[in-house]
Amino acid sequence: MTKPIEIHACGTRRDFLKYSLGTTAALSAIAGWAGVQDASPPVILENAGGLLITDTTRCVGCRRCELACTECNDGRSQPALSRIKVGRNYNFGPRGQRAGMHRSMGEFGNFRIVQDTCLQCPHPVPCATACPHDAIIADGMTKARVVDSDKCTGCRICLRACPWEMIVFDREASKASKCFLCNGKPQCVDACPAQALRFLAWRDLTRAVPVRQATVPLTKDGVSATCRPCH
Amino acid sequence: MAEYYGWTGKTLRVDLGAGSIATEDTVARYRDYLGGTGIGYKVLWDEVPAKTKSFDEANKLIVAAGPLTGTSAPCGGRTSVTAIFPTVSPRELVATGHMGGEWGAELKYAGWDAIIIEGRANKPVYLAIIDDQVELRDAAHLWGNGILRATSAICQEMGPETQVAAIGQAGENLVRLATIVNSYSHSAGGVGGVFGSKGLKAIAVRGSGAVRIAADKKAWRDLIRYVLSLFGANNQHVVPSTPQPWAEFSSPGSRWTARKGLYWGAADPPVETGECRADDLNRMAYRTAKATYDLGPNAEPFTVRMGGCHSCPIRCHAHLDVPSVEKHGVSRYSASTCVGWGARNFFRSFPDGRRGMTSVEAAVVGRNLADDFGIWTNYGQLQRDFRYAYDNGLIQANLPAAEYKSIPWERYEAGDPGFLQEIYRRIAFKEGEFGQAFAEGSGRLAERWKFPDGYYKDRSSGWWKMGHPQHHAADEAGQSGVLINMMYNRDCQCHSHSNFIRNGLPLRIQKEIGAKLWGAGALDEGDNFTRMNPDKARFALWALLRKELHDSLTLCNWMYPLAASPHRSRSYEGDNGAEALLYTAVTGDKKDAAQLDLVAERIFALHRALTVRDMGTMDMRSRHDTVPDWVFDHPADVQPFTPGHSKMDRQDIEVARDMFYELLGWDKKTGAPTRAALERLGLEDVASGLARIGLLPG
Amino acid sequence: MDIPDLIRQASREGQVVRLDEVWNRTEEEFHAQISGHKDIDRVRQGEVCYLYSTDFMARRYAETAARISSGDIPLAIAETVRSESATYPRPTPVETFKGKPFHLSDEQIASAMEIIFGDPRSADIGSVRASDGSVFLYSTDHLNAAQAQSMAERIAVGLHESP
């Protein structure tokens, strides 16, 4: 049974903005941002209320979590679209095939299967910050970072912005997508037969989990200026 | 191309000789055969001439998933490989290998239901599939290498998430006992040499697409939960193996071995399997701690975790980390299940006993060699034949003296696991008389070395017919087991019957469930068999049809059918229509259990027709549906149907054949399918084809 | 913790609770007291009433636990063996008596078996040994010796050698 989520965000959005005003001022000084016309404030999202926690000693590699994700949300079975990623680490582990057979993780290594999950980053949120259309927002009750598909133009910047490569692209809809914690009842957690996934109160794991890709360094201005003509 | 549910709608046809690649519409051509073995038999019937041999260019390989593969239909991650099969003897006939792992699901995500491989490449190639980009690539740099190196090299070329099914040196060298392996430990038996004969080293696939599901999201989710709720443990055993408070019943032979104090001992940190209640779907993966079941308590501290096929929550492949085996020249990491650990049975004994640490090491060393060279055990027959040959001086008698002397037998006698390198290497490379003979598989080995009659008459040989062993036959299931074992050209690979019999429920409850499915008379008390009756024939037919159905949909034959369940609230009944519910929901093609069983019957009948055609005789009853003498004659001093024995009676088995043929509408005298039986299944063309060559009764 | 919760906790652990250890009035009064707790059920072993929760324990398990709780170990073993030989039917590995709900040591099992084989009231209890040395007990009222032997061999060896 899922316990109620403890919300760690500061009370109201107003409180939050007041709290982080100092940060905003510092940013504006550094980036010369105050000089840009029709400047939108930096994307500041409240912290998420919950987080997927993985136990890699329990993961048995069944990949039912991936299937639950897209079957429950998209009505089809498509691990490439899954917002929890296991298949890409299955053979050789998250670092890929760098160390040869039996030297790394995964089925061809020491058998450890690593599930990659969205860390629901605290501010600054790389995917949200990179998006030229402010299409990644904090969702409803959970405050999970979610792609607003009405605003998404399918430019894919966010895919390159996420250090953990957790954004997926729905080719049929031509939109980005990401883990939004299934409105507080993550389907992957429900589907896991090994209790290798848990849904707990949010905590900041951005320094605990090794990054997966070099990200595209962007500022909001840079994105807006260069991407808008096409997207 | 049309968009389908379940099926991707695309079958790949590869002509290795011409180097050409084509796409066909799976549903338009093969819908009535589902996938897997169904497509396999259909292609062999339509396209491969009668009496084609395994390594002839005209043989074809049909490597196929099915409409359910790649979805969260539990345990759908299976692939069937159909061909004229190298180990069937004396004449090669249709048979199938089956593999799990990730490969089949990846094929579906790449947008393909099945692959038909024909012809022969004039130099080694591998087939590279990245979604709809398919090409044959040079495999010169892979040829001569084991499965692991081939897999590694291909992943370097195609990406680390590529799923590779590859043959080892055994398949390349046309060893009849050869496999193709994917996902480290998932092998399809017997077919490796056919790949080798075609110069096809591997099929590698990466897929980013989707399998579509017809049912709406909620209905599908509810169905999945319902099906999972019926699941027991491995082999659909529905009670725990030790008394546990939540469980009304228990059975010491059950594979529901989880309990307090039993660990995945090499997990970091160790994971307790604990008590797994039947209603706890989030702990299903712990129910079957299989390493200790297969290898004994010594395997507990070396168990890293359980694993297995795509989409399966049961996880029957034990994953072991045994550092001490590195001195024998293999990796410390190993994974397998059941007979995959059977290399220890090459040895007569070990210094520290049958289930001591040396035995565990031998199992690991053998598995690692077998799944890298790609050598098949033939359900343990390789090991039984070796033991017999060694113990009866046949190895010494048949090997040239110099070759015999070159083999370090003292290491074998000492129970040294490293000796397995000698066995597996020689077979993989057909080194010497030893390698060439054992590479031939049981039937041709026995011919070549003139195994005496006594071998086949002794039940310890395990021998059934045509070069293959019994597989859950009379000793477990009396006449039903005998019927099931008669019907195929390799060992039957059918578990529907034995899974139910061994599920741990009291006989009274099994009979109540059985009464609704086949008749209460289908089941005897354990080791106390009674005479044949029609219920037993129905039980056997149900078991066989479901086997074919699962190999075509695809679904795991060690979990389905779900005849029983672990729930007292359901009177321990499962749902005999679970496959039909899943099929209907995924494909949108509404079929109930009976209608889907009819499709299975079509597939099974096609296998029968192929066998009749390629044996060149209608007389299945006496030439094909045979039973080894030991089933009737051993032990000599006991009457059939004596409690404590599984001795059968010849006349009673003739009655069994009568009843079985009657259920299928096959000719009573010969057991050959009749025109009426074939037409009822929409196989008019098959009937005509058989009639044209004088092999249709009446 | 109130008595129903105590019973539930014990049931979770695989133990039944003796009524007279938690209640010093009559059985009828106890059941009136806890009538709202539909999951609390009782089994009897001889004169003694034991309690368990059906939420966490199956009745058949409770019966076995009650037998062993009664303290007459040979009787508990014999009755369990008879029950299994009648119900499944199958012989019982003596290994079973080391785990729940028995928790017997090798010595306790050995001495219980001596008593069982010496007592005319358990003349129906026989034993067989599988080829790996493991010992099974069975009741000749329900299984014959040959059956018990072949079943024992399958459970101890066959299922693992020929899976």
Side-chain angles (χ1 to χ4, degrees):
Chain A
M1 200 177 79
T2 318
K3 288 199 222 142
I5 307 158
E6 295 168 80
I7 306 291
H8 282 265
C10 308
T12 62
R13 186 167 180 85
R14 177 190 219 131
D15 292 337
F16 192 94
L17 284 171
K18 248 170 49 181
Y19 177 79
S20 51
L21 208 50
T23 318
T24 309
L27 265 177
S28 67
I30 290 163
W33 156 75
V36 176
Q37 296 297 338
D38 130 73
S40 41
V43 177
I44 300 173
L45 302 182
E46 290 176 65
N47 286 343
L51 186 70
L52 294 177
I53 301 293
T54 66
D55 186 342
T56 62
T57 60
R58 291 184 178 275
C59 180
V60 288
C62 71
R63 303 175 63 190
R64 292 190 68 78
C65 52
E66 291 181 330
L67 295 172
C69 181
T70 64
E71 289 178 3
C72 295
N73 291 306
D74 310 284
R76 59 190 194 258
S77 313
Q78 191 173 12
L81 181 59
S82 171
R83 301 148 188 96
I84 178 171
K85 317 299 288 184
V86 175
R88 68 187 185 191
N89 298 333
Y90 189 88
N91 285 346
F92 300 105
R95 284 168 48 83
Q97 199 184 359
R98 299 173 60 79
M101 281 285 173
H102 304 309
R103 298 270 180 267
S104 189
M105 290 193 269
E107 195 65 24
F108 292 99
N110 67 6
F111 297 142
R112 188 172 290 244
I113 307 283
V114 176
Q115 319 101 306
D116 290 337
T117 55
C118 172
L119 303 180
Q120 309 295 350
C121 296
H123 177 77
V125 183
C127 55
T129 305
C131 177
H133 302 290
D134 293 330
I136 296 182
I137 58 177
D139 182 48
M141 177 194 68
T142 64
K143 304 296 177 230
R145 285 80 172 91
V146 62
V147 175
D148 180 344
S149 54
D150 288 336
K151 294 187 181 157
C152 175
T153 61
C155 72
R156 306 189 208 218
I157 292 276
C158 54
L159 270 70
R160 294 306 305 275
C162 174
W164 295 277
E165 211 176 351
M166 287 310 299
I167 314 290
V168 292
F169 194 74
D170 183 341
R171 287 197 307 250
E172 293 182 25
S174 283
K175 307 272 183 186
S177 184
K178 68 175 298 300
C179 174
F180 62 101
L181 299 176
C182 297
N183 304 316
K185 281 211 58 153
Q187 293 302 304
C188 53
V189 174
D190 192 57
C192 179
Q195 293 180 321
L197 293 170
R198 288 183 297 157
F199 181 46
L200 298 178
W202 185 85
R203 76 282 312 273
D204 186 355
L205 292 183
T206 55
R207 283 171 190 73
V209 178
V211 300
R212 201 178 149 91
Q213 66 173 347
T215 57
V216 175
L218 293 164
T219 65
K220 188 130 280 308
D221 290 350
V223 168
S224 300
T226 62
C227 295
R228 279 219 172 103
C230 302
H231 294 283
Chain B
M1 213 155 231
E3 272 220 335
Y4 298 110
Y5 296 106
W7 292 281
T8 67
K10 291 183 350 185
T11 289
L12 191 59
R13 184 178 288 270
V14 179
D15 182 337
L16 294 171
S20 67
I21 293 170
T23 301
E24 297 172 2
D25 185 325
T26 318
V27 177
R29 288 183 73 119
Y30 304 117
R31 174 206 204 96
D32 294 336
Y33 305 88
L34 302 177
T37 54
I39 296 182
Y41 302 151
K42 175 73 173 143
V43 170
L44 287 185
W45 179 266
D46 285 347
E47 303 178 22
V48 175
K51 311 197 182 172
T52 298
K53 310 245 286 275
S54 308
F55 301 144
D56 290 348
E57 195 173 322
N59 194 9
K60 300 197 182 190
L61 281 162
I62 303 93
V63 187
L68 301 188
T69 316
T71 70
S72 69
C75 311
R78 308 286 305 163
T79 303
S80 298
V81 185
T82 308
I84 304 299
F85 206 78
T87 50
V88 182
S89 77
R91 181 197 296 279
E92 291 143 271
L93 301 168
V94 59
T96 56
H98 326 91
M99 60 182 181
E102 303 299 306
W103 193 90
E106 199 73 17
L107 184 71
K108 291 292 293 290
Y109 302 138
W112 306 98
D113 297 307
I115 307 177
I116 300 168
I117 296 161
E118 48 196 30
R120 176 183 292 155
N122 55 24
K123 57 183 178 58
V125 293
Y126 79 93
L127 187 63
I129 303 171
I130 302 175
D131 289 328
D132 56 0
Q133 303 302 311
V134 183
E135 56 183 26
L136 286 164
R137 296 186 182 177
D138 183 36
H141 60 304
L142 305 174
W143 204 260
N145 287 284
I147 290 161
L148 289 180
R149 174 147 285 287
T151 300
S152 179
I154 292 171
C155 284
Q156 282 162 7
E157 294 170 28
M158 289 175 65
E161 67 274 30
T162 305
Q163 298 303 337
V164 180
I167 60 172
Q169 296 93 337
E172 293 177 8
N173 293 323
L174 274 51
V175 171
R176 288 182 185 273
L177 274 186
T179 58
I180 185 162
V181 181
N182 86 88
S183 303
Y184 194 57
S185 61
H186 294 270
S187 57
V191 295
V194 184
F195 280 87
S197 73
K198 294 183 175 305
L200 182 59
K201 177 65 175 174
I203 310 177
V205 60
R206 246 176 60 205
S208 64
V211 178
R212 319 199 79 79
I213 297 170
D216 73 66
K217 291 184 283 208
K218 181 171 189 312
W220 177 244
R221 189 171 176 278
D222 289 345
L223 176 60
I224 294 301
R225 286 197 77 84
Y226 169 65
V227 172
L228 285 174
S229 76
L230 301 175
F231 265 41
N234 183 221
N235 284 25
Q236 191 54 359
H237 289 177
V238 295
V239 307
S241 64
T242 51
Q244 296 184 9
W246 60 268
E248 184 177 10
F249 301 115
S250 67
S251 169
S254 168
R255 295 177 181 204
W256 196 318
T257 54
R259 59 175 168 79
K260 290 219 194 319
L262 180 64
Y263 285 81
W264 294 352
D268 183 15
V271 174
E272 190 181 35
T273 58
E275 288 180 3
C276 300
R277 290 174 56 119
D279 56 1
D280 191 346
L281 302 187
N282 294 120
R283 287 181 49 76
M284 291 178 73
Y286 299 105
R287 291 179 184 174
T288 298
K290 194 80 186 333
T292 44
Y293 187 92
D294 289 338
L295 300 172
N298 277 306
E300 183 179 353
F302 303 103
T303 305
V304 178
R305 62 169 171 87
M306 296 303 296
C309 307
H310 185 263
S311 87
C312 172
I314 295 297
R315 322 311 288 157
C316 73
H317 274 223
H319 286 56
L320 303 182
D321 176 7
V322 187
S324 61
V325 303
E326 285 182 328
K327 63 180 177 284
H328 300 301
V330 299
S331 169
R332 58 196 279 177
Y333 298 109
S334 195
S336 199
T337 195
C338 292
V339 145
W341 298 122
R344 66 197 198 282
N345 294 327
F346 276 114
F347 295 91
R348 289 165 156 178
S349 66
F350 295 102
D352 49 352
R354 257 188 56 253
R355 287 191 135 203
M357 200 51 219
T358 315
S359 173
V360 174
E361 288 180 356
V364 168
V365 171
R367 179 328 283 192
N368 285 7
L369 294 170
D371 286 349
D372 193 33
F373 285 129
I375 292 171
W376 192 33
T377 172
N378 189 10
Y379 195 57
Q381 196 61 35
L382 170 62
Q383 284 81 16
R384 280 185 293 274
D385 290 345
F386 174 90
R387 286 286 310 277
Y388 179 80
Y390 184 82
D391 292 345
N392 291 276
L394 289 172
I395 298 184
Q396 187 161 21
N398 283 283
L399 261 54
E403 183 187 338
Y404 188 80
K405 221 158 138 318
S406 75
I407 300 174
W409 294 109
E410 69 285 353
R411 294 177 64 200
Y412 170 67
E413 294 280 350
D416 176 359
F419 181 80
L420 293 168
Q421 289 273 12
E422 298 287 336
I423 295 179
Y424 282 101
R425 189 196 71 245
R426 285 162 198 273
I427 295 174
F429 293 100
K430 289 185 169 174
E431 280 180 26
E433 175 61 21
F434 182 97
Q436 286 167 54
F438 281 102
E440 285 290 272
S442 190
R444 291 178 179 77
L445 165 72
E447 264 282 309
R448 185 178 177 123
W449 284 5
K450 299 186 180 20
F451 278 31
D453 257 9
Y455 183 55
Y456 309 105
K457 291 196 187 308
D458 195 275
R459 73 173 279 165
S460 66
S461 72
W463 178 276
W464 196 267
K465 64 180 172 105
M466 298 165 83
H468 301 87
Q470 64 163 340
H471 203 147
H472 309 312
D475 56 337
E476 297 185 52
Q479 296 93 336
S480 301
V482 172
L483 283 167
I484 288 163
N485 272 260
M486 287 177 188
M487 286 299 148
Y488 281 91
N489 302 324
R490 53 160 288 183
D491 64 293
C492 59
Q493 265 292 28
C494 183
H495 319 280
S496 322
H497 57 310
S498 52
N499 287 357
F500 185 80
I501 289 165
R502 294 196 204 159
N503 66 17
L505 290 171
L507 182 64
R508 168 185 59 84
I509 295 177
Q510 289 182 332
K511 278 181 176 285
E512 280 164 12
I513 297 171
K516 298 184 185 178
L517 297 179
W518 329 289
L523 302 166
D524 287 323
E525 202 178 70
D527 297 339
N528 190 5
F529 296 106
T530 63
R531 299 207 150 263
M532 185 62 194
N533 64 56
D535 297 348
K536 293 181 177 183
R538 273 190 283 275
F539 184 38
L541 183 59
W542 170 86
L544 286 167
L545 294 187
R546 289 301 168 97
K547 174 212 127 60
E548 248 0 310
L549 180 65
H550 303 149
D551 284 340
S552 302
L553 278 173
T554 62
L555 288 172
C556 175
N557 261 316
W558 287 269
M559 285 307 296
Y560 294 86
L562 306 179
S565 80
H567 303 290
R568 186 183 149 79
S569 59
R570 292 176 64 95
S571 304
Y572 298 99
E573 273 183 46
D575 190 329
N576 193 45
E579 298 96 319
L581 291 171
L582 290 167
Y583 173 82
T584 300
V586 170
T587 66
D589 177 20
K590 202 161 165 2
K591 280 187 165 42
D592 62 22
Q595 289 166 321
L596 209 53
D597 282 344
L598 194 72
V599 178
E601 201 181 324
R602 176 182 306 129
I603 297 169
F604 185 58
L606 201 38
H607 177 278
R608 189 65 157 181
L610 277 164
T611 302
V612 166
R613 182 191 80 174
D614 290 4
M615 284 186 73
T617 177
M618 277 191 287
D619 187 11
M620 294 288 101
R621 181 186 277 268
S622 63
R623 302 269 307 275
H624 180 272
D625 299 346
T626 56
V627 180
D629 287 334
W630 59 260
V631 174
F632 303 120
D633 297 336
H634 174 108
D637 54 339
V638 157
Q639 287 301 305
F641 313 122
T642 302
H645 300 277
S646 55
K647 190 171 186 175
M648 295 279 109
D649 174 80
R650 283 182 173 81
Q651 200 40 52
D652 184 74
I653 291 297
E654 288 295 352
V655 171
R657 289 187 184 92
D658 293 344
M659 291 182 176
F660 189 79
Y661 299 159
E662 189 174 356
L663 282 178
L664 286 155
W666 291 352
D667 176 53
K668 180 158 173 173
K669 181 160 154 292
T670 60
T674 59
R675 181 174 286 283
L678 292 166
E679 286 182 352
R680 183 170 61 80
L681 299 168
L683 295 174
E684 301 80 9
D685 58 320
V686 174
S688 303
L690 288 170
R692 262 200 301 281
I693 50 176
L695 294 178
L696 193 69
Chain C
M1 198 189 286
D2 65 4
I3 295 172
D5 280 343
L6 188 130
I7 295 168
R8 288 179 192 115
Q9 181 59 33
S11 295
R12 230 191 242 107
E13 302 294 311
Q15 288 161 358
V16 291
V17 176
R18 248 183 100 120
L19 174 63
D20 59 22
E21 281 178 4
V22 296
W23 185 257
N24 56 19
R25 304 214 285 279
T26 68
E27 231 181 280
E28 291 67 34
E29 284 172 300
F30 176 75
H31 287 289
Q33 177 79 4
I34 58 133
S35 63
H37 299 271
K38 299 288 180 223
D39 62 308
I40 304 298
D41 195 10
R42 60 189 138 160
V43 290
R44 220 172 283 286
Q45 181 70 15
E47 294 298 309
V48 182
C49 177
Y50 294 90
L51 304 162
Y52 70 101
S53 163
T54 57
D55 282 352
F56 300 103
M57 188 180 279
R59 182 174 182 82
R60 195 183 157 84
Y61 184 96
E63 288 167 355
T64 309
R67 266 184 227 129
I68 197 73
S69 296
S70 73
D72 186 342
I73 293 175
L75 181 66
I77 289 179
E79 289 191 348
T80 299
V81 169
R82 266 183 210 112
S83 172
E84 297 201 337
S85 293
T87 303
Y88 290 97
R90 57 171 168 77
T92 306
V94 300
E95 196 67 21
T96 306
F97 304 117
K98 293 190 190 167
K100 282 181 175 178
F102 305 94
H103 303 295
L104 300 175
S105 68
D106 285 320
E107 294 73 27
Q108 284 174 304
I109 296 172
S111 81
M113 277 171 61
E114 250 193 77
I115 294 171
I116 287 170
F117 294 137
D119 187 338
R121 290 173 301 171
S122 45
D124 64 310
I125 305 296
S127 77
V128 289
R129 185 181 294 272
S131 65
D132 68 340
S134 57
V135 175
F136 289 67
L137 300 176
Y138 69 102
S139 168
T140 55
D141 286 349
H142 304 288
L143 278 178
N144 78 21
Q147 248 182 317
Q149 183 71 57
S150 63
M151 284 176 158
E153 187 64 20
R154 174 173 305 109
I155 293 167
V157 179
L159 290 181
H160 312 288
E161 295 294 318
S162 299

